[in-house]
């Protein structure tokens, strides 16, 4: 049985989708969710879904090996960043090479980098009058949104779409594709 650990910072809809997707499967399961936000809605979702969830602060993440030690004990086959907003530290990436992935709400390399997350991305897509956007699932390296691309899915952007319209389209792509790509990576 493959072991998945998810990092999230907010609402946790992607985390919940992954937990439900792998629930009662014999190939993998989400064993833990970690968050940098002690008030994140993902903690409530995990409680309802009976999945272990912990919050941590910046010092535990980047200034000590506390989070790294939690991960070493968990022995994940894959670490998934699902709406996790902090830059991932190199000491953790180096300990789990090619085992840390992220979903980004745009077609990288467009609209990536520091500060490009959530509605910031969708607003930029609309402002630039893009004809299409999508999601990118990629490996995490020491730079924001620059790791090797694993998968992309596209959707059209109409001239009348608002940032909220784009966000809804992206959310649908994430819900559809993210669990399937994770499952493929774990084979």
């Amino acid at each position: 049985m493959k072991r998945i650990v998810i990092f999230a910072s907010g609402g946790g809809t992607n985390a919940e989708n992954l937990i439900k997707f792998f629930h009662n499967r014999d190939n993998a399961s989400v064993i833990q969710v970690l968050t940098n936000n002690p008030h994140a809605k993902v903690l409530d979702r995990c409680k309802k879904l009976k999945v272990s969830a912990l919050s941590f602060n910046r010092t535990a993440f980047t200034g000590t090996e506390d989070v790294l030690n939690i991960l070493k004990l968990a022995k994940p086959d894959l670490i998934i960043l699902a709406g996790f907003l902090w830059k991932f530290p190199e000491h953790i990436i180096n300990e789990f090479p090619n085992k840390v992935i992220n979903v980004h709400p745009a077609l990288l390399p467009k609209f990536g980098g520091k500060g490009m997350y959530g509605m910031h991305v969708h607003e930029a897509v609309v402002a630039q009058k893009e004809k299409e956007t999508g999601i990118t699932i990629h490996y995490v390296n020491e730079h924001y949104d620059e790791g090797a691309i694993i998968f992309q899915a596209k959707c059209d952007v109409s001239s009348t779409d608002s940032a909220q319209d784009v966000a809804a389209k992206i959310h649908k792509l994430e819900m559809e594709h993210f669990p399937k790509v994770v499952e493929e990576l774990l084979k």
Side-chain angles (χ1 to χ4, degrees):
M1 172 82 70
K2 301 288 180 139
R3 301 164 62 86
I4 301 167
V5 173
I6 299 174
F7 280 76
S9 292
T13 56
N14 271 311
E16 180 177 6
N17 190 37
L18 288 163
I19 292 165
K20 287 179 175 178
F21 183 87
F22 287 104
H23 184 71
N24 291 331
R25 295 217 188 224
D26 58 3
N27 58 338
S29 70
V30 176
I31 59 160
Q32 191 162 50
V33 174
L34 300 172
T35 180
N36 59 321
N37 179 356
H39 307 292
K41 288 181 184 175
V42 72
L43 293 169
D44 295 330
R45 291 180 194 274
C46 289
K47 188 174 184 178
K48 288 177 188 167
L49 296 166
K50 297 181 171 77
V51 172
S52 171
L54 300 169
S55 66
F56 57 88
N57 62 26
R58 193 172 294 277
T59 300
F61 192 51
T62 60
T64 69
E65 293 197 350
D66 291 351
V67 172
L68 175 61
N69 289 334
I70 290 168
L71 289 170
K72 284 180 179 178
L73 286 172
K75 298 179 181 154
D77 295 287
L78 196 62
I79 298 168
I80 300 172
L81 310 188
F84 185 71
L85 302 181
W86 286 356
K87 187 175 180 186
F88 223 64
E90 284 187 56
H91 72 277
I92 296 177
I93 295 168
N94 292 339
E95 187 72 29
F96 297 95
N98 297 315
K99 289 187 177 182
V100 184
I101 67 168
N102 181 48
V103 61
H104 185 77
L107 297 171
L108 292 174
K110 287 184 171 184
F111 306 106
K114 186 175 174 131
M116 292 305 288
Y117 60 89
M119 288 306 289
H120 299 288
V121 173
H122 310 315
E123 289 164 355
V125 165
V126 170
Q128 292 290 319
K129 299 182 179 1
E130 294 290 318
K131 300 282 188 235
E132 68 178 7
T133 189
I135 63 169
T136 302
I137 299 167
H138 65 93
Y139 288 104
V140 174
N141 67 14
E142 66 275 10
H143 304 289
Y144 282 113
D145 303 323
E146 291 184 13
I149 293 172
I150 299 164
F151 174 85
Q152 290 184 314
K154 298 177 182 179
C155 62
D156 292 332
V157 179
S158 77
S159 60
T160 59
D161 280 347
S162 67
Q164 290 78 13
D165 295 329
V166 172
K169 291 178 182 183
I170 293 302
H171 186 72
K172 186 176 177 184
L173 289 176
E174 290 172 342
M175 295 298 109
E176 178 184 351
H177 296 288
F178 202 17
K180 294 174 189 171
V181 171
V182 169
E183 186 171 47
E184 282 299 311
L185 286 173
L186 290 170
K187 285 185 177 176

